[in-house]
């Protein structure tokens, strides 16, 4: 990463060069995490909620902006409030949200919590337009459900009960017939 230098006026016409480490952001879709770095130093690590199935957050390398707004309103979703918004790509933003489950749940945006230490506001205050944002990975596909085999193999419990009832009825009928034959 490159580092930035800014000239700052100090006293009478004196300029001092101050070094600022380059900022960059990594969004890990697989683990639902956002990490912000200043140089090599991790300055923010927060859980997120990215885009759900059918509205996935696009992976790739982006730059923050050009929109950065303390209260952006979604043009696509009924003017929904998106506090502490930073544009990533087209209609995809990183923004604050009240409910941020630790799994994909948004319409494509990256949600940061507003609760607790308010990572959404901290991120908004920290990030600059043009800061690199890398979005990588994907949310794991749910593993197919494997049921444990039962005594009756692939039969459901209801089918197993019906089968046991039928076998019991057959045994009782056979016993009844044998008992009647023995008396005759």
């Amino acid at each position: 990463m490159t580092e930035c230098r800014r000239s700052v006026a100090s006293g009478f016409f004196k300029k001092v060069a101050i070094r600022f480490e380059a900022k960059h952001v990594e969004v890990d879709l697989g683990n639902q995490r956002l990490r912000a770095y200043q140089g090599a130093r991790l300055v923010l690590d927060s859980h997120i909620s990215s885009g759900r199935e059918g509205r996935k957050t696009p992976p790739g390398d982006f730059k923050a902006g050009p929109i950065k707004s303390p209260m952006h309103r979604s043009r696509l979703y009924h003017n929904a409030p998106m506090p502490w918004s930073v544009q990533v790509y087209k209609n995809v933003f990183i923004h604050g949200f009240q409910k941020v489950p630790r799994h994909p749940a948004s319409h494509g945006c990256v949600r940061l919590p507003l609760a607790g230490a308010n990572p959404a506001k901290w991120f908004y205050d920290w990030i600059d337009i043009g800061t690199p944002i890398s979005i990588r990975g994907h949310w794991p596909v749910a593993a197919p459900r494997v049921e444990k085999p039962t005594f009756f193999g692939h039969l459901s419990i209801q089918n197993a009960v019906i089968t046991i009832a039928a076998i019991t009825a057959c045994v009782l009928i056979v016993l009844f017939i044998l008992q009647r034959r023995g008396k005759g």
Side-chain angles (χ1 to χ4, degrees), residues 40-176:
R41 189 174 63 125
L42 178 66
V43 294
L44 175 66
D45 184 3
S46 177
H47 76 279
I48 61 159
S49 188
S50 64
R52 64 180 182 251
E53 193 62 40
R55 306 221 186 249
K56 292 183 177 182
T57 303
D61 294 314
F62 308 97
K63 292 197 180 289
I67 300 171
K68 182 179 175 188
S69 173
M71 180 53 77
H72 183 72
R73 298 259 176 198
S74 172
R75 289 178 284 154
L76 297 177
Y77 299 103
H78 312 291
N79 216 24
M82 297 163 50
W84 313 118
S85 289
V86 178
Q87 186 181 27
V88 176
Y89 173 74
K90 294 184 180 179
N91 292 315
V92 176
F93 287 76
I94 297 172
H95 65 85
F97 206 75
Q98 291 293 334
K99 294 181 182 177
V100 183
R102 296 170 192 264
H103 58 82
S106 78
H107 290 105
C109 289
V110 175
R111 295 176 179 173
L112 277 169
L114 291 170
N118 197 346
K121 181 173 183 335
W122 188 95
F123 180 78
Y124 174 84
D125 289 340
W126 173 83
I127 197 166
D128 300 316
I129 299 297
T131 299
I133 299 172
S134 174
I135 301 176
R136 297 280 182 260
H138 57 87
W139 184 251
V141 177
R145 187 175 161 193
V146 178
E147 293 188 24
K148 295 179 183 175
T150 63
F151 178 75
F152 293 97
H154 66 279
L155 296 176
S156 68
I157 292 176
Q158 182 179 8
N159 288 342
V161 170
I162 291 170
T163 303
I164 291 171
I167 291 171
T168 304
C170 288
V171 168
L172 290 174
I173 291 170
V174 168
L175 288 174
F176 178 76

Side-chain angles (χ1 to χ4, degrees), residues 27-43:
V27 176
D28 180 348
L29 299 174
N31 292 307
Q32 296 291 284
R33 306 283 315 162
L34 179 143
R35 292 181 179 93
Y37 293 89
Q38 192 129 5
R41 189 174 63 125
L42 178 66
V43 294

